Amino acid sequence: MANYLVFCLVMLKLSIAFANVPKPKILNETCLDDISIVLQINLYKNSCPEAEPIIFSWVENAVSQDSRMAASLLRLHFHDCFVNAILQGCDASVLLDDTGDFIGEKTAPPNLNSLRGFEVIDAIKSELESVCPETVSCADILATVARDSVVLSGGPSWEVQMGRKDSLGASKAAATNNIPGPNSTVPTLVAKFQNVGLSFNDMVALSGAHTMGMARCSTFTSRLQGSNGPDINLDFLQNLQQLCSESDGDTRLAHLDLVSPATFDNQYFINLLSGEGLLPSDQALVTDDYQTRQLVLSYAEDPLAFFEDFKNSMLKMGSLGALTGNEGEIRRNCRIVN
């Protein structure tokens, strides 16, 4: 009951925030091979009214036990949407397990020994199948847990568009090539985001998700080698070098945001201006490009502007390559096709 009341308060916050904004039922519509792609809010209001409270309850429980799980669940949605995003993006392909005759995306370099939280998705899906069989897709679950993870960590809320179908396949090659890496330069980041239909501003705003979570030492070794330059924070680098110099250094974890690692806020951008970006691709936003630096400055000064842009970019990303209609299916088990 307590979990349900918390969920209701979040929903009340949403309704108040959008009370004066006309909301059409259909929020996103594109065309894919002459099939209308339509995502809607409140899609499960009649077919599975318990869906969002159930999802929120499981996310709340998972985050209360492990605060890092919020970042992990948010990252699952991101890595799902970036694979073949123009034709087949947010489709839960990232959740498919390898089998004897099928290779999924979990073993792609950006995902291997990195993505986590699959058991939370399994638990959510299992309960939803018992309450509303074959109704809520795994792709919609991923989009919703991403929102709930941000909210539970102190970040903005938004109404999740629903109606995605789950894919019948996956692409390890696309996951390997399309997902931005931790050593990416600004031009590479911009290109990868634009390739899937996201803008320059979307790239910087969504990078702000690194205000939560952790990364292995092996993902930021090039940062450890820096010793001079205008962006160098020697104390920060020395602490990282000490952490990663242990015998198990490559697998040791560092917080992406040392100041408020479990809170969704704008501290990530403030850290970048102090030379405390953990990943090379993060610090590059300040050192490599004037335009990205200006956006970093604006978000560091105005957390509400960051929140507004972040939620809009999340809605945009969440609509990438959505499968509906006769495309895809609603999996009964998110790890395997029906």
Side-chain angles (χ1 to χ4, degrees), residues 308-327:
E308 184 67 21
D309 287 354
F310 181 82
K311 71 181 184 182
N312 289 334
S313 293
M314 284 294 292
L315 283 166
K316 189 174 177 181
M317 184 184 76
S319 69
L320 296 175
L323 302 177
T324 64
N326 295 324
E327 294 287 324

Side-chain angles (χ1 to χ4, degrees), residues 8-19:
C8 289
L9 286 173
V10 172
M11 291 298 103
L12 179 60
K13 176 182 174 183
L14 267 173
S15 63
I16 293 172
F18 289 91

Side-chain angles (χ1 to χ4, degrees), residues 232-242 258 275-276:
I232 297 299
N233 183 317
L234 289 179
D235 289 339
F236 175 70
L237 290 183
Q238 286 170 1
N239 288 335
L240 290 180
Q241 288 165 350
Q242 182 176 357
L258 284 171
E276 297 179 2

